[in-house]
Amino acid sequence: MRTTVGIIGGGPAGLLLARLLHRAGLDCVVLEARTREYVEQRQRAGMLEQGTVDALREAGAADRLGAEGLVHQGIELRFDRERHHIDFPALTGGRTVTIYAQTEIVKDLVALQLAEGPPLLFEAEALTIEKPESEAPVVRFVHEGREQTLSCDWVVGCDGFHGISRGTFPAEVGRSYAHDYPYSWLGVLADVAPSCDELIYARGEGGFALHSMRSPHVSRLYLQVPNDTDPDDWPEERIWDELAARFAVDADWTLKRGPITAKSVTPMRSYVHEPMRLGRLLLAGDAAHIVPPTGAKGLNLAVSDVRVLARAFAELHRTGSERLLDTYSDACLARVWQATRFSYDMTRMLHAQPDGDAFENRMQLARLGRITSSRHAAAELAANYTGLPLPG
């Protein structure tokens, strides 16, 4: 099998890249190790920056997003039993964010890919990337019970943190930076209408809590819990009681309760790999970087990588110039590190620190107080949350 761009990974990053390349007239093949059913049901992020929404529109994949996505004008910060609204459009010149589940994005992109191309192979597990620094890299993969090869001009690794792409970088070429947080998130899906119009980030006495939603009828909620927490140790009543306690305010507000349909525990980690290019192998999304979900940057960073990469491939196709491909890694990493900083700051500010003391507690409150009392500080948060400009 032969193509111009071989894409490893059929998540939102790989699928969106394939769609953008297809619309720019470049051929590519997507290899996804899992089944279509698994990929379309995998629960992940749901908050989209303005630039992510723009990218999906550019790809012709925003019909359902436009009809079903929930546009949010800001977020609410809760601490000391008080509510504080951060008005995004007023602070950013009109930018907003949209709630639309990653599962739905993947369904939309898969349907377009299968209907219009280019090729998308499910249950196609990539084994190795050979000769990535040559002009003819090869991906060896298993599909339909036999080993096959995909010869490419370029390979893009969108195969996540546990994929093979990043591991192809020799130790002397790549360098990674990591930080593990001493707590996790217990996330639940509940068949109940959201108790809020916008996301609530709460710093309660028992720790952090987040109220989000997947639709007007489904709520998505999170609790800070110790690492190695077993979800089975948290029955429904305990979850709702703890959420209510952490969201509590001295105002007329009640947390709506309903049946919990799913629950899981997510560890918190920051990770960046440098560089994001080795010869003709390029990394995008979680293959190169991971952020804690507090700042809602993971999916959006992957999309920004893909937008920069698609633009670089389009220029190569149009003019023969590799100029933008040569600057891809440095350009993306500058934005990645800013998003990593923002996610780290949000996480440290809102979570109870297991080793924290009274001083740390007061410092967290001081940071929150600065944001809610200073337009300049609130604008900085809003600019980062709605998405920093793309490189160039």
Side-chain angles (χ1 to χ4, degrees):
M1 189 180 297
R2 180 77 174 81
T3 192
T4 300
V5 182
I7 301 173
I8 303 176
L15 292 169
L16 179 59
L17 177 60
R19 182 71 182 161
L20 293 172
L21 294 181
H22 177 65
R23 289 169 73 88
L26 283 91
D27 63 290
C28 62
V29 173
V30 181
L31 305 177
E32 167 54 47
R34 302 282 192 164
T35 65
R36 178 179 179 179
E37 292 73 21
Y38 179 91
V39 170
E40 292 186 340
Q41 294 173 12
R42 185 167 42 193
Q43 291 291 334
R44 291 290 187 272
M47 198 293 294
L48 311 184
E49 295 175 356
Q50 183 76 59
T52 298
V53 173
D54 294 342
L56 291 167
R57 287 176 179 153
E58 179 187 346
D63 289 349
R64 279 208 308 139
L65 167 62
E68 301 174 17
L70 305 175
V71 177
H72 284 193
Q73 306 290 321
I75 60 172
E76 183 179 307
L77 296 178
R78 290 191 181 184
F79 59 98
D80 272 356
R81 300 183 66 89
E82 294 183 350
R83 307 170 65 175
H84 304 269
H85 182 247
I86 307 297
D87 187 330
F88 289 164
L91 294 165
T92 63
R95 295 173 71 81
T96 60
V97 296
T98 301
I99 298 296
Y100 189 67
Q102 178 173 314
T103 50
E104 304 310 308
I105 294 173
V106 169
K107 290 175 186 175
D108 295 340
L109 290 169
V110 166
L112 285 168
Q113 187 96 347
L114 296 178
E116 303 177 14
L120 165 59
L121 305 182
F122 289 105
E123 298 181 82
E125 181 183 2
L127 303 175
T128 60
I129 303 169
E130 299 178 356
K131 303 183 292 184
E133 297 183 77
S134 74
E135 294 186 359
V138 173
V139 180
R140 294 194 177 275
F141 65 100
V142 174
H143 184 238
E144 296 181 338
R146 63 188 182 91
E147 185 172 318
Q148 303 182 48
T149 59
L150 177 63
S151 299
C152 321
D153 294 333
W154 301 85
V155 178
V156 180
C158 301
D159 49 348
F161 184 76
H162 298 290
I164 68 166
S165 297
R166 189 181 66 256
T168 302
F169 283 61
E172 64 272 16
V173 172
R175 181 175 181 181
S176 61
Y177 304 83
H179 176 75
D180 294 312
Y181 297 82
Y183 34 75
S184 299
W185 276 13
L186 172 65
V188 301
L189 276 174
D191 281 342
V192 61
S195 305
C196 52
D197 295 326
E198 294 171 346
L199 273 64
I200 301 173
Y201 285 78
R203 182 192 177 280
E205 290 186 6
F208 171 75
L210 172 63
H211 192 319
S212 182
M213 63 281 294
R214 284 295 177 262
S215 76
H217 311 290
V218 177
S219 296
R220 182 72 162 152
L221 305 107
Y222 301 91
L223 282 168
Q224 175 188 349
V225 294
N227 287 337
D228 301 321
T229 289
D230 185 345
D232 291 337
D233 292 337
W234 285 78
E236 287 198 20
E237 185 176 1
R238 182 186 180 190
I239 291 172
W240 287 118
D241 287 348
E242 187 62 28
L243 285 167
R246 296 188 191 184
F247 288 128
V249 289
D250 294 329
D252 184 16
W253 185 88
T254 302
L255 177 67
K256 298 175 184 176
R257 303 187 181 208
I260 290 176
T261 59
K263 57 184 177 179
S264 61
V265 171
T266 302
M268 310 279 281
R269 189 176 210 213
S270 295
Y271 179 91
V272 180
H273 180 274
E274 297 182 348
M276 292 172 61
R277 178 180 176 183
L278 172 68
R280 295 207 168 191
L281 167 63
L282 305 110
L283 304 180
D286 287 0
H289 42 74
I290 293 175
V291 290
T294 323
K297 296 293 110 181
L299 170 62
N300 294 294
L301 270 182
V303 170
S304 67
D305 290 347
V306 165
R307 294 179 76 191
V308 174
L309 195 51
R311 185 175 62 190
F313 278 127
E315 178 175 278
L316 174 64
H317 179 64
R318 187 176 62 253
T319 69
S321 171
E322 296 183 13
R323 177 181 62 91
L324 292 181
L325 286 166
D326 291 340
T327 60
Y328 167 73
S329 179
D330 289 342
C332 284
L333 283 169
R335 194 174 190 275
V336 165
W337 276 113
Q338 287 303 316
T340 301
R341 172 199 57 79
F342 173 69
S343 299
Y344 176 86
D345 289 347
M346 286 281 284
T347 302
R348 291 285 302 183
M349 178 175 67
L350 288 163
H351 288 71
Q353 303 302 320
D355 58 348
D357 53 18
F359 177 82
E360 176 69 21
N361 178 65
R362 294 299 297 174
M363 287 299 294
Q364 289 176 308
L365 291 173
R367 293 186 187 101
L368 286 162
R370 171 65 178 169
I371 290 169
T372 55
S373 63
S374 163
R375 181 179 177 86
H376 175 78
E380 174 69 11
L381 185 151
N384 281 272
Y385 198 98
T386 58
L388 298 175
L390 285 184

